[in-house]
Amino acid sequence: RQPDEAAGEVMGEKNDELRRYVVTPLQTNCLAYVSDGECLVVDPGGSGDQLATVLDDVRVTCVAATHGHGDHVGGVAALMRATGAPFAIHAADVELARHAGEMSEVGRSYDDNAPDPDRTLAEGDVLTVGTATFTVMETPGHTPGGIVLVGGGSAEGVAFVGDTLFPGSHGRTDLKGGDEETIMASLARMAAEIAPDTTLVCGHGPATTMARELAVNPFLR
């Protein structure tokens, strides 16, 4: 699947831009956060060469993954080759990402296996892009190494939540490495620590807000 671009959105007072590209048959949200000409790419699930082409107006400084499933990391290798950007993922999902290009337990494969990361992410680590920062919050459950990237600086008020949370729901836990009790603990932590007015950009489908999820999501009650 070629990357489908949604309209860019200006974020915050610094005129940062969030671009969303829908990739893979599962319609994964590949996110590009642009600040001061620099770009953090989150979850390039497929079409890495094409993503590099549509991002040729910015300097990709980091490619990060919220977790290691193939529909989120299958495009990492090609995007790294095209841009020279380093790759970052939680250590607990490195092995999972290494098999992105191979047939998964549900019978799908995505582009290429992800390479070993240049940086492994852990709780409290910070990714910086231009005037924006993204702090790692460990949120296992969908996978052992699932993370949320919580925006700060000029990215204040936005968080990339991967497949941990969806509007009114949460990520599946029936795949290898998933755990329902663990994801419930992660959701409880998100509810307690992420500000209600934060926009939550999910790994698939539409964005939501923490306030909305606190009001309607049965898994946060």
Side-chain angles (χ1 to χ4, degrees), residues 78-112:
L79 187 59
M80 289 177 67
R81 286 193 299 268
T83 64
F87 172 44
I89 189 172
H90 194 281
D93 273 15
V94 169
E95 184 61 26
L96 182 62
R98 286 186 180 127
H99 301 283
E102 303 167 20
M103 198 67 69
S104 72
E105 62 189 295
V106 294
R108 296 189 179 98
S109 61
Y110 302 91
D111 289 17
D112 300 311

Side-chain angles (χ1 to χ4, degrees), residues 84-190:
F87 172 44
I89 189 172
H90 194 281
D93 273 15
V94 169
E95 184 61 26
L96 182 62
R98 286 186 180 127
H99 301 283
E102 303 167 20
M103 198 67 69
S104 72
E105 62 189 295
V106 294
R108 296 189 179 98
S109 61
Y110 302 91
D111 289 17
D112 300 311
N113 294 335
D116 288 339
D118 300 283
R119 176 181 180 183
T120 53
L121 300 174
E123 177 72 28
D125 285 349
V126 177
L127 298 173
T128 300
V129 53
T131 58
T133 62
F134 290 91
T135 301
V136 173
M137 174 185 288
E138 294 181 345
T139 55
H142 178 61
T143 65
I147 62 170
V148 165
L149 294 171
V150 182
S154 56
E156 187 79 28
V158 62
F160 301 143
V161 302
D163 287 2
T164 298
L165 180 146
F166 297 113
S169 185
H170 67 69
R172 62 189 296 181
T173 57
D174 59 330
L175 301 176
K176 183 178 179 180
D179 185 86
E180 185 72 14
E181 183 176 350
T182 301
I183 205 169
M184 291 302 293
S186 294
L187 293 169
R189 183 182 176 206
M190 290 172 63

Side-chain angles (χ1 to χ4, degrees), residues 28-33 39-45 51 60-69 71-76 79-80 83 85-90 97 114 117-121 126-129 134 136 145 147-149 160 162:
T28 305
N29 289 329
C30 171
L31 306 168
Y33 193 95
C39 178
L40 167 67
V41 178
V42 179
D43 291 348
L51 287 167
V60 179
T61 57
C62 183
V63 179
T66 60
H67 63 288
H69 281 150
D71 60 313
H72 289 256
V73 299
V76 168
L79 187 59
M80 289 177 67
T83 64
F87 172 44
I89 189 172
H90 194 281
D118 300 283
R119 176 181 180 183
T120 53
L121 300 174
V126 177
L127 298 173
T128 300
V129 53
F134 290 91
V136 173
I147 62 170
V148 165
L149 294 171
F160 301 143

